Amino acid sequence: MRQQLVTSIAAIFGVVGVPAFSHHSFVAAYLEGEESTIEGEVSRFLLRNPHSFLFVSVEGDTGQAQEWIVEWASRNQLDGQNITSDTVRPGDHVVVTGDPSRMPGEPRLLIRTIQRPSDGWSWGGEAD
C-alpha cells in the first residue's frame, strides 16, 4: 500500500513538474535590455501556444527583403488582450520593437510593441 502511494505521488509530481521546468528563459535567446526596431509587411501570423509568431518581411539596405521572426506571447495570453488571428493580417504594414536575438545577424525579435500606422492600432506589453 505504501509503495503504491509513493508511486502515485511520484507520478503526479512527474506530470505536474515537468511542464513547469520545461519552459525556456527568453534571456537565453534574446538580448534583454537592448532594443531593435523593424518595419515591414506581415507575411503571416501564427497565433498558438506556447508562443505566437509574427513573420515580417523587411527591406534590407540592399533592397532585398528579409523575413524576420517576431516571438509573441501565447495564444491564451493574447486572447485575454483581445488579439485574434484576424488582428494582424498578411500585408499589414507594421513597426515592431523588441529584444534582438543573441545570435548576431539572426533576424529575430522578442516583441515589446507593435504598431500598424495605417489605422493607429498598437499593442505594447510583455511577452511571456
Side-chain angles (χ1 to χ4, degrees):
M1 174 73 170
R2 185 173 183 198
Q3 180 64 31
Q4 288 176 330
L5 179 63
V6 170
T7 302
S8 296
I9 291 172
I12 290 169
F13 280 121
V15 170
V16 173
V18 171
F21 292 110
S22 67
H23 190 274
H24 66 277
S25 168
F26 285 122
V27 178
Y30 299 98
L31 294 170
E32 189 175 311
E34 290 191 27
E35 184 176 283
S36 293
T37 301
I38 61 169
E39 184 170 350
E41 310 299 317
V42 172
S43 54
R44 60 190 160 134
F45 175 38
L46 299 176
L47 182 61
R48 63 183 193 176
N49 289 318
H51 302 278
S52 296
F53 291 91
L54 187 66
F55 296 82
V56 180
S57 180
V58 177
E59 188 175 315
D61 296 335
T62 63
Q64 194 90 336
Q66 181 178 37
E67 186 166 74
W68 280 70
I69 301 169
V70 179
E71 192 166 355
W72 209 345
S74 72
R75 177 184 199 119
N76 296 345
Q77 291 169 315
L78 294 174
D79 281 349
Q81 297 173 29
N82 297 317
I83 304 294
T84 70
S85 58
D86 291 329
T87 301
V88 182
R89 295 176 161 219
D92 284 352
H93 183 86
V94 295
V95 179
V96 181
T97 63
D99 298 338
S101 172
R102 285 195 170 277
M103 298 294 293
E106 183 179 49
R108 291 180 68 101
L109 287 177
L110 175 62
I111 195 168
R112 287 188 193 174
T113 66
I114 181 171
Q115 300 174 342
R116 186 174 46 227
S118 65
D119 63 1
W121 176 83
S122 66
W123 176 91
E126 197 170 85
D128 183 40

